[in-house]
Amino acid sequence: MENQVLTPHVYWAQRHHELYLRVELSDVQNPAISITENVLHFKAQGHGAKGDNVYEFHLEFLDLVKPEPVYKLTQRQVNITVQKKESQWWERLTKQEKRPLFLAPDFDRWLDESDAEMELRAKEEEQLNKLRLESQGSPETLTSLKKGYLFMYNLVQFLGFSWIFVNMTVRFFILGKESFYDTFHTVADMMYFCQMLAAVESINAAIGVTKTPVVPSLFQLLGRNFILFIIFGTMEEMQNKAVVFFVFYIWSTVEIFRYPFYMLSCIDMDWKVLTWLRYTVWIPLYPMGCLAEAVSVIQSIPVFNETGRFSFTLPYPVKIKVRFSFFLQIYLILLFLGLYINFRYLYKQRRRRFGQKKKKIH
């Protein structure tokens, strides 16, 4: 008999929130699958156990389901997924206690209730981890944000020190040696800004944002800020001295090569001329800068002794007056110690960058 209506073999499994049905029909054409009044209706032309025919079945579910079944056709079967209205475990699939003859468990997907609960918890945990990663940002996003932040920081510092360098250079060509004596009043505000912002570099090194060692970065930060804020900033007598010009000019000369190098590193660019300058100009400039800073400290000692600023007397019974110049003499020792630490660190960097080329001549 052609086009006889027959019932296909149907296999089922469940999870807490959905049902899976596998209809054993191949080469299915024009499937009609719907849910009305909690009953699944299936009708399709296909090749089943009784050959090529129209196959049909109806299933009334044990509990309420959502009336939007989702199905997928493959060459050998029809897979149907039905969502339960409430997430719970069913003792059977159909409302009638007696299982229909065409219905059987799908052992390929079958889980008991405890295994299904473990699978559900694993999926929920996976979703939570995915949400957590999305909220924290992917590694690529975090890397891009870090590079953008470092690029902007180095750009701001480069612009600040460039302004100082250009301003002092132009004034020197116009005024000559006269420009030495009012350097502080001309560029001090910008130098204050740049040196306070330089604290970010030590913080970045300490928390791992950059790979710079903390000690050399901290030595340079504290050393420069001591000269700027204590030696120059608190003593008006020091602000009109020529040594201010040389200290500021050497600082800015070093930085107008260092910060652009870091900027280009953030965008994975390597300009060979700039790289060479960044790893070379410090060789003469760091000792010169250290010498200029030492001169400023030595010149400030009689000024601090005369004014008594920052000097203090130890309490009774000692009552010894401790002059600030005593600490300045200690600082002079630390200044050259800092020079040694920074020089050694920068020399290692330069050797690592340019000293790895081995000549092989046979």
Side-chain angles (χ1 to χ4, degrees):
M1 182 183 296
E2 296 183 1
N3 296 328
Q4 182 181 2
V5 177
L6 300 170
T7 304
H9 292 299
V10 180
Y11 300 90
W12 80 285
Q14 68 169 318
R15 299 295 184 267
H16 283 81
H17 57 284
E18 58 190 4
L19 304 164
Y20 307 118
L21 292 98
R22 174 165 56 87
V23 183
E24 288 292 301
L25 280 181
S26 61
D27 302 322
V28 171
Q29 300 175 8
N30 304 319
I33 304 171
S34 63
I35 296 176
T36 55
E37 297 181 355
N38 219 49
V39 177
L40 174 68
H41 305 280
F42 177 94
K43 186 175 182 181
Q45 175 81 33
H47 190 86
K50 298 296 183 178
D52 191 16
N53 276 297
V54 174
Y55 290 84
E56 182 178 355
F57 69 88
H58 307 279
L59 286 174
E60 184 175 5
F61 294 111
L62 175 66
D63 212 332
L64 295 177
V65 296
K66 296 180 180 179
E68 302 92 16
V70 176
Y71 67 90
K72 182 180 180 181
L73 301 177
T74 69
Q75 193 173 359
R76 300 181 59 185
Q77 62 198 31
V78 181
N79 295 315
I80 304 171
T81 303
V82 179
Q83 299 292 325
K84 297 178 181 178
K85 276 203 170 179
E86 294 183 5
S87 180
Q88 58 182 343
W89 195 257
W90 291 4
E91 62 181 16
R92 60 180 184 274
L93 179 65
T94 59
K95 190 170 184 179
Q96 65 183 58
E97 292 188 12
K98 187 177 179 181
R99 179 175 59 82
L101 294 176
F102 64 87
L103 185 66
D106 185 353
F107 290 109
D108 290 339
R109 304 194 69 171
W110 193 267
L111 292 176
D112 60 28
E113 185 175 3
S114 59
D115 290 337
E117 286 177 353
M118 290 177 63
E119 183 187 69
L120 182 62
R121 282 197 294 270
K123 286 184 178 179
E124 289 175 348
E125 187 175 344
E126 183 180 352
Q127 289 177 347
L128 285 173
N129 289 335
K130 189 180 292 184
L131 289 171
R132 194 178 296 115
L133 285 173
E134 288 176 356
S135 64
Q136 292 174 349
S138 64
E140 293 81 5
T141 302
L142 291 175
T143 301
S144 299
L145 288 173
K146 185 175 81 169
K147 285 185 175 182
Y149 153 71
L150 290 174
F151 182 87
M152 291 305 300
Y153 167 77
N154 290 309
L155 175 61
V156 170
Q157 287 288 67
F158 169 65
L159 293 175
F161 280 107
S162 295
W163 184 90
I164 295 170
F165 179 82
V166 171
N167 186 294
M168 293 176 66
T169 303
V170 171
R171 286 176 53 81
F172 175 74
F173 279 110
I174 294 174
L175 302 175
K177 293 182 180 179
E178 293 298 321
S179 65
F180 291 174
Y181 305 103
D182 61 351
T183 297
F184 187 87
H185 302 288
T186 306
V187 300
D189 289 340
M190 182 60 72
M191 187 61 80
Y192 279 139
F193 171 78
C194 291
Q195 282 306 128
M196 286 190 291
L197 192 59
V200 174
E201 288 182 53
S202 296
I203 296 171
N204 288 340
I207 64 178
V209 175
T210 60
K211 296 180 180 179
T212 306
V214 178
V215 174
S217 173
L218 199 59
F219 257 103
Q220 178 167 299
L221 174 70
L222 296 177
R224 284 189 179 183
N225 283 348
F226 180 82
I227 298 296
L228 177 62
F229 289 96
I230 303 299
I231 302 299
F232 296 154
T234 62
M235 304 298 292
E236 291 186 12
E237 295 87 343
M238 291 297 301
Q239 294 171 6
N240 297 321
K241 293 185 178 292
V243 70
V244 178
F245 175 90
F246 294 100
V247 170
F248 284 8
Y249 203 74
I250 291 171
W251 287 358
S252 60
T253 304
V254 170
E255 306 303 13
I256 61 173
F257 297 114
R258 188 166 71 97
Y259 285 115
F261 171 79
Y262 289 148
M263 285 167 54
L264 293 183
S265 297
C266 291
I267 55 177
D268 300 320
M269 287 183 63
D270 182 17
W271 185 20
K272 291 184 178 180
V273 174
L274 181 61
T275 301
W276 185 87
L277 288 170
R278 183 265 179 272
Y279 285 104
T280 305
V281 294
W282 62 269
I283 297 174
L285 291 179
Y286 264 57
M288 289 168 61
C290 183
L291 182 61
E293 291 174 27
V295 170
S296 66
V297 172
I298 293 169
Q299 289 183 351
S300 71
I301 289 176
V303 179
F304 278 105
N305 284 338
E306 184 180 339
T307 60
R309 180 164 292 182
F310 303 133
S311 298
F312 58 92
T313 302
L314 294 175
Y316 180 85
V318 181
K319 287 189 175 182
I320 297 175
K321 185 173 183 179
V322 180
R323 294 183 179 274
F324 187 63
S325 57
F326 170 74
F327 297 101
L328 292 178
Q329 292 166 23
I330 295 175
Y331 176 78
L332 283 173
I333 299 173
L334 296 177
L335 180 64
F336 288 97
L337 175 63
L339 173 66
Y340 168 75
I341 292 173
N342 272 327
F343 209 92
R344 186 166 176 265
Y345 166 67
L346 290 170
Y347 177 74
K348 284 183 177 179
Q349 275 196 322
R350 190 178 196 280
R351 190 176 179 184
R352 194 180 303 123
R353 189 84 181 194
F354 299 120
Q356 297 298 322
K357 298 178 181 179
K358 296 180 181 179
K359 295 182 179 180
K360 295 183 179 180
I361 302 174
H362 299 287

